[in-house]
Amino acid sequence: MKTETTPQIFYNYDRKGLDDSTLLKLYRAMLKPRTIEEKMLILLRQGKISKWFSGIGQEAISIGVTSVLEKDEYILPMHRNLGVFTSREIPLHRLFSQWQGKANGFTKGRDRSFHFGTQEFHIIGMISHLGPQFGVADGIGLANKLKNNKKVCAVFSGEGGMSEGDIHEALNVASVWQLPVLFCVENNGYGLSTPTNEQYNCENIADRGVGYGMESHIIEGNNVLEVYTKLKSIVEDMRINPRPVLLEFKTFRMRGHEEASGTKYVPSELIEMWEERDPLVNFENYLLAEGILTEEKIKEFKDEFKQEIDENLEIAFAEPVIEFSETNELNDVYKEFNYQEVKENSEKENIRLIDAISQGLKQSMERHDNLVIMGQDVAEYGGVFKITEGFVEQFGKDRVRNTPICESAIVSTGMGLSINGFKAVVEMQFADFVSSGFNPIVNYLAKSHYRWNEKADVVIRMPCGAGVGAGPFHSQTNEAWFTHTPGLKVVYPAFPYDAKGLLATSIEDPNSVLFFEHKALYRSIRQDVPTDYFTLPLGKAALLKEGEDITIITYGAGVHWALETLEQNPEVKADLIDLRTLMPLDTETIYKSVKKTGKAIILQEDSMFGGIASDISALITENCFEQLDAPVKRVASLETPIPFAANLEKGYLSKGKFKKELFNLLSY
């Protein structure tokens, strides 16, 4: 019979045959992050750390999930999952250095708190946009399935993040492809200050599993034995029968979204109710009542952890503040890529641009057995432009994968494949549709190496451009969206030879590449191209014509417009530069030519403001000013969306303006 002094045990703990040592191990695993958090809150008040996202009251979830996974199975945690990091036995001084922005952390001071990953410990950290995390888990799960290694991975979200479109896309992909991923939702009551009844209108998040065709479970997230035993059974079965599982953990966030936010918006009675359900206190009382734990042991464990924390804090605090080095910062934007030239063979055939891309892609698939192609209709149908026609018969549906209409999830899946040892080529059906996958490209792929030294081995193919009467949603040439983003490479060939060689190199490169393919050139441009696999270096422009009068700088369809103009006006002696690669940009070739001719005109198909021509113009002005005999001229398309009707499209394009502006500059 309980008395007023009997410790409260809210949960009915069912040990399901677990031995005492396992129960003590789970207790210690929960106690350690709680002890660290209590110390962090003190340091925060003392002004010794700047920010803290507390997971107090949610430890049972992180510990339960991590404890049922093997050390080499990936986990993708979030802010409130300190127990994941401690359970994977990351040295505390490295965690403390990370939180203080010091060099011994995982991001060299470039990102904070838990925004990092580490291949050493098979942890892939979050980004603030939350949603791409689930797609990355899809990619890791797909890689595991392709390897047939009987591995699972686990990814976390809060109930607030579950409203993001990226997450819906990723759950759908995981279900369609039956990927071995644990989708762990910590339903802790509030997304910052917004309660769950303003976040979603179903009774439980797990109910959504029916709509996705996915197994789902509701788990008492503060009962560590329930978390551990249920997940152990689920995971063991997933390794045999790969599939996704949606898990909703009922829990509560006892402190603010981050400490500065506070909890004034939470009714006091709700906090009191969940304080009674504290996962650590309840489990501790249960172990005491069962005679598995003693007060002496509790003190021993706490003293051990406090000593470890203090010793590691001393190491981290003694570490010097990170020093700024422009060279180091710039050198870490991209993963180092040692270009290896594969020389062309002597046999050539006259093929179209579209054939060269298809051939280059196929030969890369033959060369890299870890290369996976993903996109809408790319399998049996061969893609809307038939570039991957016949690929399924040669490489199989595991490597040539039709996707649902979900650009964001598939880009993130490409990132997950890269993390887990694969290469990915993602086809945007049209470059215009990349806007639906913009977030993971510019925030995840582009920043991963700079943030935590992780490659993003993903090529995104971008069928683009006007001149085919496709209208506002199928005609954009949107390369400037990406040349502005450090960490991405942008390739834009104008000829079949370049397209084949540059595509091969783009796939070899461990960094993310946006590979633009102009639709109007697909079947209109032919060239003699080597039949075998070969590579061309990125960042090297091609000097197509030489002359003393003027420098013409262009790329894509603009190259052919300029060639046509020069052929019709043979009196003009121009250097014609085909950039081929927009990022990295071959400024050496540009400057050398402009310093020789004294005049420069830049032709782009994109509209003027914010386009790459503006940056090239500025670079020329800054670096070649004394050699210029006239202002640098930009020629671009109209400042409107791209119209459909032929006459309107013709009037929109910069092609019709180029000759006039060229001769105006020549006569300056």
Side-chain angles (χ1 to χ4, degrees):
M1 183 176 181
K2 289 188 177 182
T3 68
E4 290 184 5
T5 59
T6 303
Q8 181 173 344
I9 305 172
F10 181 84
Y11 297 105
N12 179 25
Y13 289 105
D14 183 355
R15 60 192 295 175
K16 293 186 182 297
L18 296 176
D19 57 27
D20 290 357
S21 64
T22 300
L23 269 57
L24 282 174
K25 185 177 179 181
L26 291 171
Y27 171 73
R28 280 176 55 87
M30 282 200 295
L31 179 62
K32 187 170 185 176
R34 176 69 64 91
T35 309
I36 293 170
E37 288 224 42
E38 289 169 348
K39 182 66 173 184
M40 291 303 114
L41 295 177
I42 294 171
L43 295 176
L44 187 68
R45 289 192 293 270
Q46 294 174 341
K48 294 181 178 178
I49 60 172
S50 60
K51 209 174 189 68
W52 187 252
F53 295 86
S54 177
I56 287 177
Q58 297 180 207
E59 294 91 347
I61 303 168
S62 296
I63 299 310
V65 171
T66 312
S67 296
V68 302
L69 295 183
E70 296 169 358
K71 294 290 187 183
D72 61 350
E73 290 182 313
Y74 284 97
I75 304 181
L76 295 85
M78 298 189 76
H79 278 134
R80 272 167 263 286
N81 299 122
L82 175 58
V84 170
F85 298 87
T86 55
S87 294
R88 283 284 164 96
E89 299 179 347
I90 292 180
L92 293 188
H93 65 273
R94 293 205 66 192
L95 282 177
F96 298 156
S97 291
Q98 171 65 26
W99 301 338
Q100 294 176 49
K102 293 186 174 180
N104 202 36
F106 294 89
T107 64
K108 301 181 182 179
R110 294 165 183 160
D111 214 333
R112 65 185 186 188
S113 61
F114 297 102
H115 290 204
F116 72 91
T118 160
Q119 287 282 10
E120 181 183 357
F121 298 97
H122 286 79
I123 291 175
I124 309 300
M126 61 176 290
I127 67 169
S128 293
H129 299 72
L130 306 179
Q133 192 87 323
F134 271 35
V136 173
D138 278 355
I140 292 171
L142 175 58
N144 285 334
K145 191 170 184 179
L146 293 176
K147 294 175 184 178
N148 193 28
N149 59 12
K150 310 299 183 187
K151 301 289 183 186
V152 305
C153 76
V155 59
F156 285 83
S157 176
E159 82 293 327
M162 291 299 291
S163 297
E164 291 200 336
D166 299 65
I167 279 179
H168 292 286
E169 290 185 8
L171 288 167
N172 186 52
V173 169
S175 180
V176 171
W177 289 354
Q178 286 295 284
L179 302 177
V181 180
L182 279 172
F183 294 101
C184 304
V185 184
E186 296 177 299
N187 189 344
N188 60 22
Y190 289 84
L192 210 154
S193 70
T194 306
T196 52
N197 65 346
E198 296 178 26
Q199 294 275 3
Y200 55 87
N201 200 30
C202 51
E203 184 176 353
N204 302 295
I205 289 172
D207 297 340
R208 298 179 187 176
V210 176
Y212 296 121
M214 183 185 300
E215 176 185 338
S216 63
H217 302 271
I218 297 173
I219 296 176
E220 177 50 70
N222 285 22
N223 182 337
V224 69
L225 291 191
E226 181 175 336
V227 176
Y228 179 81
T229 56
K230 284 190 175 182
L231 263 63
K232 191 172 188 293
S233 174
I234 290 168
V235 166
E236 287 173 353
D237 192 61
M238 284 174 66
R239 294 190 181 111
I240 300 168
N241 304 299
R243 66 190 187 278
V245 178
L246 177 61
L247 302 170
E248 179 181 3
F249 297 95
K250 300 290 189 180
T251 185
F252 194 73
R253 174 161 54 74
M254 295 302 298
R255 304 190 70 84
H257 170 72
E258 43 97 9
E259 284 304 306
S261 304
T263 56
K264 289 183 179 179
Y265 48 84
V266 183
S268 58
E269 60 271 19
L270 191 59
I271 291 179
E272 291 170 5
M273 183 187 83
W274 280 98
E275 281 178 344
E276 295 177 352
R277 293 161 169 77
D278 185 301
L280 180 63
V281 172
N282 274 271
F283 192 51
E284 182 179 283
N285 289 341
Y286 166 73
L287 295 177
L288 287 168
E290 293 292 309
I292 299 168
L293 186 65
T294 64
E295 295 289 353
E296 291 75 21
K297 272 291 181 187
I298 294 172
K299 183 178 184 306
E300 178 185 323
F301 294 158
K302 287 183 177 180
D303 289 346
E304 175 192 341
F305 290 144
K306 287 176 180 176
Q307 181 177 345
E308 182 185 0
I309 292 166
D310 288 342
E311 289 174 353
N312 281 269
L313 276 172
E314 188 175 340
I315 295 170
F317 281 135
E319 188 181 346
V321 173
I322 197 164
E323 295 291 333
F324 173 76
S325 163
E326 183 174 317
T327 300
N328 289 344
E329 293 299 290
L330 292 173
N331 285 347
D332 281 350
V333 172
Y334 297 101
K335 181 174 177 60
E336 185 178 356
F337 172 47
N338 296 315
Y339 169 70
Q340 300 292 320
E341 181 184 9
V342 179
K343 293 185 177 180
E344 60 193 66
N345 62 308
S346 58
E347 183 183 349
K348 296 183 179 181
E349 59 180 330
N350 190 261
I351 58 176
R352 303 167 298 176
L353 180 73
I354 196 167
D355 304 321
I357 293 169
S358 180
Q359 196 178 94
L361 193 56
K362 181 179 291 186
Q363 290 173 358
S364 289
M365 288 285 282
E366 292 167 345
R367 188 178 181 88
H368 305 286
D369 58 10
N370 66 336
L371 175 58
V372 177
I373 297 172
M374 300 180 291
Q376 296 160 30
D377 306 298
V378 299
E380 290 86 352
Y381 190 69
V384 294
F385 299 105
K386 302 302 179 182
I387 284 176
T388 53
E389 192 168 29
F391 279 35
V392 166
E393 288 79 3
Q394 183 172 351
F395 303 110
K397 291 202 70 170
D398 277 349
R399 295 182 61 202
V400 185
R401 307 185 73 91
N402 281 336
T403 70
I405 300 176
C406 52
E407 287 81 4
S408 187
I410 296 305
V411 171
S412 298
T413 298
M415 181 68 204
L417 282 169
S418 174
I419 286 170
N420 204 1
F422 282 74
K423 290 178 173 288
V425 170
V426 175
E427 179 186 292
M428 291 291 149
Q429 199 167 71
F430 293 87
D432 313 65
F433 299 166
V434 77
S435 55
S436 295
F438 195 71
N439 176 29
I441 294 174
V442 301
N443 287 312
Y444 211 122
L445 271 62
K447 296 179 170 65
S448 289
H449 189 265
Y450 174 77
R451 289 172 52 243
W452 57 280
N453 201 38
E454 178 62 27
K455 69 184 187 304
D457 204 342
V458 183
V459 174
I460 301 173
R461 292 185 42 243
M462 302 277 282
C464 65
V468 293
F473 302 120
H474 297 77
S475 304
Q476 293 178 87
T477 174
N478 45 12
E479 64 280 353
W481 296 359
F482 305 103
T483 54
H484 180 69
T485 304
L488 300 176
K489 296 186 178 182
V490 181
V491 179
Y492 204 143
F495 294 97
Y497 173 83
D498 293 338
K500 183 175 178 181
L502 291 171
L503 179 58
T505 304
S506 298
I507 292 169
E508 295 273 6
D509 196 318
N511 298 284
S512 301
V513 179
L514 281 294
F515 194 89
F516 284 83
E517 307 165 6
H518 201 291
K519 305 190 303 293
L521 304 182
Y522 268 159
R523 292 175 171 84
S524 64
I525 302 299
R526 303 184 73 96
Q527 194 178 32
D528 290 340
V529 178
T531 56
D532 291 348
Y533 182 93
F534 69 97
T535 61
L536 292 172
L538 304 188
K540 297 293 183 182
L543 185 60
L544 302 181
K545 286 185 175 292
E546 294 189 58
E548 303 293 328
D549 297 343
I550 195 167
T551 299
I552 303 170
I553 303 161
T554 186
Y555 56 95
V559 174
H560 300 281
W561 301 343
L563 280 169
E564 182 182 326
T565 302
L566 293 176
E567 287 166 4
Q568 293 170 355
N569 300 274
E571 71 277 14
V572 178
K573 306 302 180 185
D575 271 6
L576 175 56
I577 298 173
D578 174 6
L579 293 173
R580 303 196 297 186
T581 303
L582 307 183
M583 185 58 65
L585 184 66
D586 186 358
T587 55
E588 181 181 349
T589 296
I590 294 171
Y591 298 159
K592 181 180 179 181
S593 175
V594 172
K595 288 175 180 179
K596 179 185 76 173
T597 66
K599 292 182 178 180
I601 185 168
I602 309 157
L603 172 62
Q604 68 181 29
E605 181 178 331
D606 195 9
S607 53
M608 180 77 78
F609 195 85
I612 192 170
S614 300
D615 278 290
I616 295 172
S617 174
L619 286 167
I620 292 171
T621 302
E622 291 171 4
N623 292 277
C624 308
F625 181 76
E626 293 182 356
Q627 289 81 21
L628 287 174
D629 298 325
V632 179
K633 183 65 183 176
R634 297 169 296 155
V635 183
S637 296
L638 205 61
E639 294 288 330
T640 70
I642 305 170
F644 157 68
N647 284 341
L648 297 181
E649 186 179 46
K650 183 178 179 181
Y652 162 84
L653 286 171
S654 53
K655 179 181 180 181
K657 310 173 189 176
F658 178 64
K659 179 180 175 180
K660 177 184 175 182
E661 297 297 346
L662 175 66
F663 277 89
N664 284 343
L665 188 56
L666 283 167
S667 62
Y668 182 86

